[in-house]
Amino acid sequence: MSTPFPFTAVVGQDDLRLALLLNAVSPAVGGVLVRGEKGTAKSTAVRALSALMPALDAVAGCRFSCDPASPDPACPDGPHEPGASETRPARMVELPVGASEDRLVGALDIERALAEGVKAFEPGLLADAHRGILYVDEVNLLHDHLVDLLLDAAAMGASYVEREGVSVRHAARFLLVGTMNPEEGELRPQLLDRFGLTVEVAASREPDQRVEVVRRRLAHDDDPEAFAARWADEEAAVRARITAARELLPSVRLGDAALRQIAATCAAFEVDGMRADIVMARTATALAAWAGRTDVLAEDVRQAALLALPHRRRRNPFDAPGLDEDKLDETLEEFGGSDDEDPDPGPQGPEGGPDGGPEGGPDGGGGLPPQSGDEAADATVPPQGDGAGPDAGRSEGGGAEPQPAGPGAGEQSPVRAAEPFRTKTLSVPGIGEGAAGRRSRARTEHGRTTGARRPRGTLTKLHLAATVHAAAPHQRARGRTGPGLVVRRDDLRQAVREGREGNLVLFVVDASGSMAARQRMGAVKGAVLSLLLDAYQRRDKVGLVTFRGSAADVALPPTSSVDAAAVRLESLPTGGRTPLAAGLLRAHDVLRVERLRDPARRALVVVVTDGRATGGPEPVATAGRAARLFAAEGVASVVVDCESGPVRLGLAGELAAELGGTAVTLDELRADSIAGLVKNVQGTSRRAA
């Protein structure tokens, strides 16, 4: 077994270390979500924490780690007789992103059911993690239904399994830790709220600290055992402090003054529900115990707010987590009692490591800087002078679009997007086999069972009834004598399940002069932002191609970070000609490359334009040929018609016909419009079953 990097040797990252230690002291805090860029010691710190967890006593032979002093009366391996117990280190169980539901919660032991004819439960990772640590790296990439199961078990302290004739309940109390890189996509706000604490981590910009990080990492890699031995005393001190804080925790008093501050703080920041109040109370109590005190002070409440509230302040998926510390201090001062007299913002106690201790403090952070996503949206729009005239149609269809001289002339500052709205559901026709999501029909590992088939390759989800049905006629010929079935490989049947998949939603946005009118572009951006919100909720990947002037640009390559697409959209300038063909060809190239990377993920192309095409030789004919490439390959598409004014030329509808898709107006895109029911993208997909 490799020697982990010592927890106390982690340089800086005081917020991260403090949050982990508070959960080690009091798992009831509810776990911690660590958000940060790659290479910031997130996984290193989490894995190092397991070595600090005090050893535990468990019933010998119990697969569910029951405490011999108070065994679970409902333990599937029980009842346990008083007697044999074993002392072992607390486990750290890692949940892979690609884990199945069976692996997480457990399932029927198929081998024993078929061979012995008995109904037995095979425990999952939740049982393994009981009384230990459950670590999920890249939790934002975990399937939503697994996150729901995981967080429900963490909140209830138990796992309930009701499936395939198995009804089991077992204890599942663990320290839940998730790490994620926000660039790869966000968690839904509902799921963010289920994590007790959240910390933001970033690499230090101080050269001396970066030098020390490299020095320690190299020393550990060269000789892990010797490096760990150098930090053994510090590790032992922190381990002893965790044990002492756990023993002190029941004696900590949460007074009325601290409770008033907690309630007032949660109310002032308008967090939803009561979970934030409860988490803050538990965190403040753990902070006091970690500091060796039996009373919760105002400084504990402040630190608890900085750890428990930032991620609960998100009002929509594109808001960055953050907390206004000035407002926090004003609230604590207004509602503070006698506990408010000590201005020290960090818990007291001995240092836990060579870098000033993992407990935080005045210089150790503990909070997040106020963040705002409105800077780009506050840009003003100068008077329009690019010469963009009224709707005039495509250049070959009756009148040319007025154009500025020069390739960069006429560019306008970004226009702020209109308020987003709930959109109609746009889906890809047919049945796919892509990543689990919430948009289009697909054959998935999860969902309702619709049938059975012979497995293609490795069997991943057994259809028990179909397998028994296939094996039953051959039992006499196979010489069956006992209660179990004689099953051959040819009898096995794979369950066919239908659910929903996430798609690649590629936006192709016209940013030319014909779209540049202030109110018009604001409405267009509002529509795209609304579709981005819908893509976020349906767990899609998104990409953004824009075209204006004489070329098209990939403003955002396909990514799971819908937030990044929203930022690029806000800063999108407008002006110039309308190279529609260039935009379509660039989008086609993006899809070609992405199809090689992820062939199972089907694409939905959303073209946002008024249908004009100008610039270059035969712009309309060239755009038509480019559009027919999508139709020939069966790519699902929809054109959002942005044409305005009393006279409409219907160019967007013609483009949609050439794409083999459908056209919707901005008004029809709204879910509450009177234009009709849900619109499915018309056309066929070559990869649809």
Side-chain angles (χ1 to χ4, degrees):
M1 180 180 294
S2 60
T3 303
F5 194 90
F7 186 85
T8 52
V10 175
V11 179
Q13 306 296 12
D14 298 307
D15 293 346
L16 169 58
R17 294 192 290 168
L18 175 61
L20 292 173
L21 289 169
L22 292 177
N23 275 275
V25 171
S26 175
V29 166
V32 57
L33 176 65
V34 187
R35 299 162 44 92
E37 58 196 23
K38 51 189 176 294
T40 49
K42 301 187 298 293
S43 299
T44 298
V46 175
R47 293 189 174 98
L49 179 67
S50 61
L52 298 179
M53 299 291 286
L56 54 87
D57 294 328
V59 174
C62 178
R63 297 174 298 167
F64 301 87
S65 302
C66 281
D67 186 349
S70 57
D72 182 4
C75 176
D77 284 355
H80 298 299
E81 298 294 334
S85 65
E86 58 183 2
T87 301
R88 60 168 177 78
R91 296 184 183 131
M92 191 188 79
V93 177
E94 294 196 40
L95 175 62
V97 169
S100 66
E101 183 178 339
D102 291 347
R103 187 70 188 97
L104 177 63
V105 301
L108 178 69
D109 189 331
I110 299 296
E111 183 178 351
R112 293 189 62 190
L114 294 178
E116 303 175 23
V118 299
K119 185 168 64 175
F121 178 68
E122 183 177 2
L125 294 177
L126 291 179
D128 294 341
H130 179 47
R131 304 176 68 197
I133 301 172
L134 182 59
Y135 172 46
V136 188
D137 194 14
E138 305 295 351
V139 66
N140 53 324
L141 303 182
L142 197 66
H143 293 316
D144 283 351
H145 74 283
L146 293 183
V147 177
D148 291 334
L149 290 171
L150 181 64
L151 296 179
D152 284 343
M156 295 185 296
S159 175
Y160 294 85
V161 184
E162 299 284 348
R163 55 188 305 170
E164 297 168 341
V166 174
S167 179
V168 172
R169 176 264 180 205
H170 65 83
R173 293 184 296 276
F174 46 80
L175 193 168
L176 175 63
V177 183
T179 57
M180 59 174 283
N181 183 349
E183 295 177 354
E184 297 173 341
E186 281 284 0
L187 280 174
R188 304 197 313 268
Q190 300 93 320
L191 300 181
L192 277 174
D193 183 57
R194 301 298 292 272
F195 281 94
L197 309 180
T198 297
V199 293
E200 295 273 349
V201 296
S204 172
R205 300 297 183 258
E206 294 293 331
D208 291 342
Q209 196 171 60
R210 296 176 73 97
V211 166
E212 186 62 22
V213 170
V214 175
R215 181 180 292 119
R216 295 185 186 183
R217 185 74 250 182
L218 293 177
H220 175 268
D221 293 345
D222 290 341
D223 192 344
E225 289 77 12
F227 185 81
R230 287 166 46 194
W231 294 90
D233 292 342
E234 287 82 357
E235 293 281 287
V238 174
R239 190 180 300 109
R241 188 174 174 188
I242 292 174
T243 302
R246 284 185 171 185
E247 294 174 352
L248 183 62
L249 187 64
S251 303
V252 175
R253 186 182 68 88
L254 184 64
D256 290 343
L259 278 173
R260 280 196 302 272
Q261 287 183 318
I262 290 171
T265 301
C266 292
F269 285 100
E270 300 178 344
V271 296
D272 296 329
M274 295 297 298
R275 183 174 286 115
D277 304 63
I278 296 171
V279 170
M280 272 190 66
R282 289 172 173 165
T283 305
T285 303
L287 280 162
W290 177 249
R293 289 186 269 99
T294 56
D295 287 309
V296 174
L297 306 181
E299 64 198 42
D300 301 323
V301 175
R302 184 182 192 276
Q303 185 74 58
L306 293 171
L307 293 173
L309 295 188
H311 60 298
R312 294 184 168 90
R313 287 281 299 140
R314 298 186 71 182
R315 281 294 175 263
N316 68 66
F318 301 145
D319 288 342
L323 204 65
D324 186 339
E325 294 193 43
D326 291 336
K327 181 178 179 180
L328 172 61
D329 291 334
E330 291 173 3
T331 303
L332 293 176
E333 182 178 356
E334 179 181 355
F335 291 91
S338 58
D339 295 338
D340 217 28
E341 297 174 359
D342 187 351
D344 183 9
Q348 303 297 319
E351 293 184 352
D355 301 307
E359 70 278 0
D363 300 323
L368 300 171
Q371 301 181 39
S372 173
D374 295 335
E375 289 83 1
D378 290 336
T380 57
V381 181
Q384 299 177 29
D386 65 342
D391 296 340
R394 301 192 197 180
S395 61
E396 295 177 13
E401 181 181 333
Q403 301 295 333
E411 180 174 310
Q412 299 183 16
S413 299
V415 177
R416 186 168 187 170
E419 285 297 317
F421 51 85
R422 188 167 64 89
T423 66
K424 280 180 166 46
T425 301
L426 303 174
S427 61
V428 179
I431 301 179
E433 295 183 350
R438 297 185 173 185
R439 183 172 297 278
S440 305
R441 293 176 58 198
R443 297 188 183 95
T444 63
E445 288 294 318
H446 312 282
R448 62 187 181 91
T449 301
T450 59
R453 60 172 172 80
R454 293 181 182 272
R456 302 167 187 167
T458 303
L459 178 70
T460 57
K461 189 71 65 174
L462 180 74
H463 194 297
L464 183 58
T467 298
V468 172
H469 187 269
H474 310 291
Q475 295 307 294
R476 180 176 297 178
R478 293 172 182 174
R480 172 189 169 188
T481 57
L485 289 176
V486 180
V487 179
R488 304 278 174 82
R489 181 174 295 274
D490 290 343
D491 300 327
L492 299 179
R493 294 295 183 268
Q494 174 83 27
V496 177
R497 298 189 174 189
E498 183 176 311
R500 293 281 171 175
E501 67 177 358
N503 299 115
L504 167 60
V505 182
L506 182 61
F507 294 93
V508 185
V509 180
D510 184 350
S512 65
S514 68
M515 302 279 287
R518 175 171 180 153
Q519 292 182 350
R520 188 177 184 188
M521 197 61 199
V524 168
K525 284 189 175 183
V528 178
L529 185 62
S530 302
L531 290 167
L532 283 172
L533 282 166
D534 182 67
Y536 170 86
Q537 294 164 351
R538 299 183 188 280
R539 314 303 287 173
D540 295 315
K541 290 181 70 174
V542 296
L544 180 61
V545 173
T546 64
F547 57 94
R548 54 182 291 274
S550 59
D553 297 313
V554 180
L556 184 71
T559 176
S560 296
S561 179
V562 181
D563 305 55
V567 171
R568 302 291 173 88
L569 179 69
E570 282 288 354
S571 59
L572 177 65
T574 57
R577 292 183 178 274
T578 311
L580 176 59
L584 295 175
L585 291 174
R586 180 58 63 90
H588 184 269
D589 188 57
V590 169
L591 292 183
R592 178 184 59 80
V593 174
E594 193 64 20
R595 196 176 294 127
L596 296 174
R597 293 175 178 169
D598 190 357
R601 188 182 290 268
R602 298 186 296 164
L604 171 61
V605 177
V606 180
V607 185
V608 185
T609 181
D610 56 8
R612 299 168 184 267
T614 62
E618 300 183 341
V620 174
T622 305
R625 288 194 294 269
R628 288 190 287 275
L629 290 175
F630 292 85
E633 296 180 359
V635 177
S637 60
V638 61
V639 177
V640 179
D641 184 358
C642 301
E643 190 175 23
S644 61
V647 178
R648 295 176 180 265
L649 302 176
L651 301 175
E654 296 177 8
L655 175 63
E658 291 172 327
L659 285 167
T662 189
V664 295
T665 66
L666 290 176
D667 289 337
E668 291 172 339
L669 192 61
R670 294 179 177 270
D672 55 356
S673 72
I674 60 174
L677 300 177
V678 173
K679 283 187 174 290
N680 285 330
V681 180
Q682 300 301 313
T684 59
S685 173
R686 180 183 298 175
R687 296 186 298 278

